[in-house]
Amino acid sequence: MKKWMRALPIDERVDALLAEMTLPEKVGQLNQPANVSPGPDRDALAAGRIGSSLYASGALGGNVRDEGLSIRAIEQCQRIAVEESRLGIPVLFGRDVIHGHRTVFPIPLGLAAAWDAELVERLCDVAGSEALREGVAWTFAPMVDISEEPRWGRVAEGFGESPALSGRLAMAAVTGFQRHIGATAKHFVGYGLAAGGRDYESVQVGENTLRNLHLRTFKAAVDAGVLSVMASFNDIDGTPMHANRRLIREVLKQEWGFDGVVVADWSGIGQLVDHGVAADARDAARQGLLAGVDLDMASGVYLAHLESLVGDGEVPLDLLDDAVRRVLRMKFRLGLFDDPYPRTTADPIGPTAATRALAREAAVASMVLVANDGILPLSDQVESLHLTGPFVDEGEALLGTWVLDGRGADVPSPLVAFTDLLGDRLTHTDGRFSDLAAHRTRAAAVTVALLGEHPSRSGEANSVADLGLPAGQLEALKQLCGLGKPVVAVVFGGRPLDLAEVLRVASAVIVAWHPGTEAGPALADVLFGRREPSGRLPMTFPRSTGHVPSSVHARATSRVLDFTRDAWDGRYLDALTQPQLPFGYGLSYTTFRHGGPVASASEVPFGGQVEVSAQVTNTGQRAGRELVQLYLHDPVAEVTRPKLELLDWQWLDLAPGETGTAVFTIGTDAFGYFGRDLTWRVDQGLVRLITGRDATASAAVEVRIVAAGADE
C-alpha cells in the first residue's frame, strides 16, 4: 500500500504523496477547469492534469441556470482520475451552494436578519448534506464581505454590514457546511467597498480599516476552520487581490496561520492582464502564485505556464510545493482519498417535510416588520383580502439570487398559501398593478401588495444606480393607498431599498427579502400572526440613494455631527442625514420597554470580564420576541473608531407584562482594535457600553479599563 493511503496523520500522507509527484502532476493539482466531463476531459484526468472542477453555467453562474448536476458524470470523472491516473489522486468537485441546494432558504442577507447563528448552522448543515448526496464536495460559500453599499448587488449574498454579526454567522455557516463538504470564505478582501457599488470596481482603503472592519469576518471563518478562502476580483489601492502578496501570503497565511487553500475567483488570475498589472498570461500566472493564490479557477494560466516558470527560476519550487500541499491537505481532510465516489441513495434529496419545515422557520425569522399602523396581524376571519403585485403567483422569483439547484415548482406561491387559508374570500390580480387591481382594492377589506425586486436585479453583476423600487411599482402603490382602504406592502428584494414613500403611504410594511422554498406559507404565517415577525435589519436602509454610504460604521469626524444644534446639524442642505431605517431596526406585534444597562463593575482589569445586563418588559397584549443589542463606543483611541460598534446581542421571549433580563459577559479583548502601527491593542481608559433595540440606542453605562492589579 502506498504511504499516502495508510492510516497516518494527514500531513505525513501529504508529504509522502508530494514526494512521488512529477512537476506536471503538481501543476495539475492547481488547475481547476469548469464543468469537467468524462468524454472531452478523459486524457487530462488520466494524466493527473485536473485537480478540481466546479460545475457552473459560466462566469456569472448565479444569474444563469445550468442543467443541474449529474452524479453519473461526476462518478465517471472520479473513476478516471482515481483508477486510471498514475497516482490515483481524486478530483475535488465544487458547486455554488450559497443558501441551500435542493431546499432553498432565504438569501444570506435575509438569514442575517434572523440574528441567529444556530439557525444558520442548521441550514448550512442541510444544504451541505443535500449537495454531498449529488457528488459535491466543496462549496464557494459563505460570502463574508462587509459592505455599506446597497447599490452593490452582491450584498444579497452576505450577512450584512456588522463584523460582529457577519463574523458569528460566518463561523456558523462554516461549521454547518463542513459537517459534509468544504466551505469557502469569500471574497478576500475589500470587495464590498467597490467604488460606486459597481461590481469588480477598484477599492481605495487602508490596511487599518481592513483590519478593524473587513478582515474581521475572514479571521472569524479561519478561526472556525474554514478549508478555503477565495480571492476577490477588486484591486486595493492599485494592487489586484489575485496579486496581493501582502494580504494573502503575509497576513492570511503567515500571520494568521491559515493552512487551507486560497482559490482564485473565476479567471481572476488570468484577469491580472485586464487589470493592467500583468504583461501576459505567463506573467499573470507568476504573480498569482507568488502572491499565494493556490488554485487557478477557470483561466488555465497555471496549467499553461507554471512548469516553465519553475524551470526558469521565476517561481520557486518551494512555493509551488506549498500550494500543492494545501490542495492535497484539503482533499485528505474531506476524506476523498478514502471515499472518493458519490453516495447515491433512493431517498429524496429535498425538499422533504423536514427541510420544508426548517425553510419555513428560517423564512419567518428573516422577515422584518418596519411599519404598522395596527392593521397587522390580520385576522384569518378577514371578510375579504385582495392580493396584488408582480409576485402574487411567483415561486421561482422568490428563491432569490444564486440558486442553481432549487426549483420554482417546489415553492408554494403567496397565491397558493393565501388561497389555502382564505378560500373564496381571496381575490387577486397577477402581474403589474392595473385598474382591476384598484377595483378589487376598493372591494376588499384589506389589500396585500407584493412589491420589490426580481432576483435578476440582485447578486453578481447586478448593481443599480437607484435604490428605488422598480419602475412603476411606487406609482401604482400610491394609487392603491389613495383609495382609502388598508394596504399592506410586502417588499421582496436582495438589498436595502429607498422605502421612504412606501413607509409614508402604506398601512404596514414588511421587508421579506427573497424567502426561499417556503416563501408563501411563511409570509402567510407572519401576516396572519401565527408567527411573530422577529427579524431585525442587518444593513442600514438609507434615506435615499444619495445618502450612500450610510451605515453603523460612521466614525468620529473633525466637526461633530450634532442634531441638537443649529450649526453643523447635518451634512446635506437638502436632506436629513439620519438613515431611513437604522441598523438593527424591526418591530413586533407587541411593544417593549427597555431599561438602561447596568455593569457588574465600574472598572475591569486587562484580561478581565464585565457583565452588562439590561431589563426589557413586554408592555403589549401579545407574547413577543425582542432583540437586545449591545454596542460599544470608545471615546478616545489611537485611531478613529465607529461611533457605535455592535458587540453582542440576545433574544428574549416574553409573555404580556413579563420582564426579562439580557446578560452579556464581555472580556476586555472585545474593546480592542488595531492601532496606527497595525498591531492589536486594548487601551486603558473609559468605554461606553450601550444597550437598546437598534443602532439609535443611547442608554449607556461607563466602564473603565485599568491595568491588572491597579485596585490593589
Side-chain angles (χ1 to χ4, degrees), residues 593-609:
R593 182 178 65 247
H594 284 242
V598 177
S600 61
S602 60
E603 294 186 346
V604 56
F606 287 112
Q609 295 180 331

Side-chain angles (χ1 to χ4, degrees), residues 294-308:
D294 303 306
L295 195 54
D296 173 26
M297 178 190 289
S299 77
V301 298
Y302 278 5
L303 187 68
H305 300 292
L306 276 185
E307 288 178 50
S308 66

Side-chain angles (χ1 to χ4, degrees), residues 13-87:
R13 298 176 76 181
V14 168
D15 288 342
L17 177 53
L18 189 67
E20 297 286 332
M21 297 176 72
T22 64
L23 180 58
E25 288 169 335
K26 290 177 180 179
V27 170
Q29 287 302 302
L30 309 186
N31 176 42
Q32 184 186 93
N35 304 317
V36 169
S37 64
D41 298 303
R42 169 176 288 276
D43 291 346
L45 287 164
R49 302 293 273 167
I50 295 174
S52 60
S53 180
L54 76 158
Y55 286 101
S57 58
L60 299 177
N63 298 321
V64 182
R65 287 288 194 133
D66 58 21
E67 296 180 357
L69 290 162
S70 168
I71 294 179
R72 178 169 175 76
I74 291 173
E75 181 177 359
Q76 288 177 327
C77 289
Q78 194 70 289
R79 290 196 179 279
I80 295 168
V82 172
E83 299 172 16
E84 298 183 26
S85 70
R86 186 179 75 89
L87 296 174

Side-chain angles (χ1 to χ4, degrees), residues 441-454:
T441 293
R442 289 191 187 95
V446 62
T447 290
V448 175
L450 306 180
L451 314 165
E453 301 180 305
H454 190 276

Side-chain angles (χ1 to χ4, degrees), residues 96 98 140 142-145 154 157 184-187 218 230:
D96 285 290
I98 306 300
F140 306 109
M143 190 188 96
V144 298
D145 296 298
R154 301 199 80 163
E157 300 172 46
T184 306
K186 66 182 187 184
H187 308 83
F218 289 94
M230 179 181 286

Side-chain angles (χ1 to χ4, degrees), residues 191-203:
Y191 195 18
L193 292 169
R198 299 181 295 271
D199 224 337
Y200 322 123
E201 266 285 5
S202 295
V203 167

